[in-house]
Amino acid sequence: MMQLRFATTLSAQQYVRQQAWKDARLDSCPLHPKGGCGFARHGTYPRKSPPDIKIPRWYCRKARQTFSLLPDFLASRLSGTLIEVEDVINKVENSPSQEAAAQNMRIDTEFAGVLRWIRRRLFLVRCALSLLTELLPFLPAGCSISSFRSTLGGKYVLPQLRIQASCYLHMLPPPLGFGPRPVAKKLKKSRFQHQTGTDPPVKRL
Ligand SMILES: [Zn+2]
């Protein structure tokens, strides 16, 4: 499934209340803009969080590919909203350690699971921020939420970046972008190595 941006200023609550997935439009197939490929609306699919949310979906018969339009407030390939992800990262940045931040978070899960849950978010968001500092020269060099907040202003930066970096979403990792997940080991070795095509091919727009 290929994810695309559903540009909207609605909050998660407004989107659900208005059932705004019904208003989503994708007039032509992203792969075959001239048509003739049997491109059509393909219903919706639910996500666990926020409750009652639905994501609109399309299908290209020729490419056997589904497309979904992800509203701007939503995290890609992680549960919940970008604001919820940012709250987690911000809590870690303002805690003496990841372990301290993990206290009182997600009491439904064992402690080691909470730590993994936190680290996955930290790793992915920091990858996205560090890529963005190279793509957009006005951004700060440090890849922390707090340095981005002081540069961009506003309470939350991840929802702003979804919009401001919209032309790079295909290469940014989730939960901010719609690109592939980075591989931890390779990224540590060298980013250049990462770029030379050791990843499996990913369909890009
Ligand atoms: Zn098509």
Side-chain angles (χ1 to χ4, degrees):
M1 180 175 63
M2 192 182 284
Q3 294 182 314
L4 304 164
R5 184 178 162 229
F6 180 12
T8 176
T9 54
L10 296 178
S11 69
Q13 293 81 356
Q14 290 167 331
Y15 178 88
V16 171
R17 200 180 320 123
Q18 297 178 22
Q19 304 193 334
W21 51 88
K22 291 177 179 167
D23 305 328
R25 295 273 175 275
L26 193 54
D27 291 332
S28 57
C29 176
L31 301 175
H32 311 100
K34 287 178 183 164
C37 60
F39 182 71
R41 181 83 185 231
H42 193 56
T44 59
Y45 66 92
R47 286 196 15 171
K48 268 188 210 158
S49 170
D52 302 322
I53 194 166
K54 286 183 180 152
I55 310 297
R57 183 166 54 183
W58 283 259
Y59 183 68
C60 165
R61 209 173 336 129
K62 193 173 177 186
R64 296 184 181 178
Q65 170 93 48
T66 53
F67 304 86
S68 64
L69 279 196
L70 213 65
D72 276 340
F73 57 85
L74 211 56
S76 59
R77 308 202 190 274
L78 280 184
S79 62
T81 64
L82 287 172
I83 284 179
E84 287 166 341
V85 173
E86 185 166 335
D87 277 338
V88 172
I89 313 282
N90 188 51
K91 186 162 185 197
V92 174
E93 286 180 8
N94 289 292
S95 300
S97 67
Q98 293 180 5
E99 287 76 9
Q103 304 285 350
N104 308 321
M105 244 190 236
R106 288 181 56 108
I107 42 175
D108 57 315
T109 312
E110 46 139 3
F111 191 70
V114 182
L115 268 182
R116 275 197 304 275
W117 183 86
I118 288 176
R119 284 175 183 153
R120 193 179 317 132
R121 278 156 179 72
L122 261 183
F123 171 69
L124 289 170
V125 169
R126 283 180 178 166
C127 285
L129 296 185
S130 103
L131 282 169
L132 277 170
T133 57
E134 292 177 29
L135 295 166
L136 302 171
F138 63 89
L139 291 172
C143 54
S144 68
I145 287 291
S146 56
S147 60
F148 271 67
R149 279 183 181 177
S150 53
T151 301
L152 291 175
K155 189 160 185 228
Y156 288 98
V157 293
L158 292 184
Q160 289 187 61
L161 289 169
R162 174 70 63 78
I163 297 164
Q164 290 190 20
S166 59
C167 58
Y168 298 116
L169 292 176
H170 62 286
M171 59 173 92
L172 295 172
L176 182 62
F178 306 138
R181 282 192 175 88
V183 180
K185 261 189 281 175
K186 280 181 192 161
L187 202 79
K188 263 183 210 157
K189 255 196 227 163
S190 145
R191 184 173 296 136
F192 294 106
Q193 199 174 13
H194 198 68
Q195 284 176 341
T196 50
T198 48
D199 284 338
V202 174
K203 262 187 191 165
R204 295 207 165 132
L205 291 179

